[in-house]
Amino acid sequence: MRPGPPPDGPPPAAPDLALHLLRLGDDALVLGQRLCQWITRAPTVDEDLALSNIALDLIGHARALLARAGRLDGTGRTEDDLAYTRPERRFTNALLTELPNGDFATTVARQLAYSHYAVLYYEALAHCADPELAAFGARARKEVAFHRLHADRWTVTLGRGTEESARRMRHALERVWPYTGELFEEDEVLRRLAASGTVPSPAPLREAWLHRVTGVVTGAGLTVPTPTWTARGGRSGLHTEEFGPLIAELQSVRRQFPGGTW
């Protein structure tokens, strides 16, 4: 007896993988948008260019991840549809990535936390069984490695600089650190994907992440904070008060000129 034709629609694992890639893509998109807000406002011309280039890398990551998510979820949405037409409650980024830029030290602390996580996760993703995702992980890890070096250098520069720069860097770490735990949270979606070998879970990477960032922070003459609370909710669409204006800014042109082409 011959097997029947394959069922219509995506394979069983596709919805889980689509959601996971949406989360990763939203992380990159939202953080890239935050960094774009530094354009013409960075402390130096060199930093204006550096932060712009980091933002472009992140938006490139977002395009690749959201495009794949749209193909897997069965809706046929493109990366542009996912970026520009979803309401804010449909975004699944970690809250860390949407934190306001604050002063330059706050941006550096946010970059320190995210870039060390991203390097570790994309290194792991580069060894997954899916050839498209493995290729993406291999490329993305090289780019975020430069983002990590940039954040490391500025953490040490500010921590070892003046009394004022050290104070600001210390305050920035305390501001950002309660938001880092969400990067490593594992839910049922991730457990299923990791158990099937589809993608790695970020949870086992937390110890290596902490070891690496502790080395940088200690080298800056500072101490890694021990938060008394952990922010969560971004993965399920619950966001900070400042997120709405950020998404409104991101989507403003598309909403003003729907269907417009350039």
Side-chain angles (χ1 to χ4, degrees):
M1 180 177 178
R2 293 182 179 180
D8 293 333
D16 283 350
L17 183 56
L19 178 56
H20 181 57
L21 298 182
L22 187 69
R23 292 168 174 176
L24 295 177
D26 284 349
D27 285 347
L29 178 66
V30 170
L31 184 55
Q33 180 69 13
R34 273 292 182 220
L35 290 176
C36 284
Q37 294 177 330
W38 275 110
I39 296 174
T40 74
R41 295 177 173 84
T44 66
V45 173
D46 284 348
E47 281 310 303
D48 203 301
L49 293 172
L51 293 173
S52 299
N53 283 324
I54 292 172
L56 283 173
D57 285 344
L58 292 169
I59 292 169
H61 299 167
R63 288 193 65 188
L65 292 162
L66 294 180
R68 181 75 187 278
R71 294 198 303 270
L72 287 170
D73 69 7
T75 64
R77 291 177 294 179
T78 67
E79 65 268 33
D80 288 340
D81 295 329
L82 288 168
Y84 296 126
T85 64
R86 279 182 296 161
E88 61 186 83
R89 286 295 299 271
R90 295 294 183 181
F91 279 80
T92 58
N93 57 285
L95 297 177
L96 172 74
T97 62
E98 69 189 56
L99 288 180
N101 288 326
D103 63 12
F104 187 63
T106 301
T107 292
V108 168
R110 189 184 60 203
Q111 285 300 113
L112 179 74
Y114 177 81
S115 62
H116 275 268
Y117 150 79
V119 167
L120 287 166
Y121 192 75
Y122 289 148
E123 283 176 349
L125 192 65
H127 299 288
C128 76
D130 185 305
E132 184 179 347
L133 287 181
F136 169 78
R139 174 177 62 84
R141 69 179 178 181
K142 295 176 183 178
E143 293 172 342
V144 292
F146 284 105
H147 307 173
R148 179 189 62 188
L149 289 173
H150 178 267
D152 289 356
R153 177 174 62 85
W154 271 111
T155 300
V156 174
T157 298
L158 295 175
R160 294 287 185 184
T162 65
E163 182 178 340
E164 175 64 10
S165 71
R167 183 191 69 80
R168 287 175 179 260
M169 194 66 227
R170 187 180 307 108
H171 175 75
L173 292 170
E174 292 170 354
R175 168 79 175 95
V176 163
W177 234 244
Y179 293 87
T180 59
E182 191 178 24
L183 295 172
F184 303 96
E185 286 186 349
E186 184 181 73
D187 62 1
E188 288 303 317
V189 169
L190 267 172
R191 290 188 189 98
R192 287 194 296 267
L193 289 171
S196 67
T198 306
V199 296
S201 169
L205 304 175
R206 186 168 189 171
E207 185 175 346
W209 172 86
L210 183 59
H211 176 74
R212 292 186 182 188
V213 295
T214 298
V216 177
V217 172
T218 302
L222 303 169
T223 303
V224 172
T226 305
T228 57
W229 62 284
T230 299
R232 53 174 54 92
R235 296 299 190 207
S236 56
L238 302 176
H239 296 283
T240 61
E241 184 178 353
E242 297 87 358
F243 187 63
L246 179 71
I247 294 304
E249 180 182 55
L250 171 69
Q251 299 177 340
S252 59
V253 174
R254 175 69 174 263
R255 292 188 178 279
Q256 188 174 0
F257 303 102
T261 58
W262 285 265

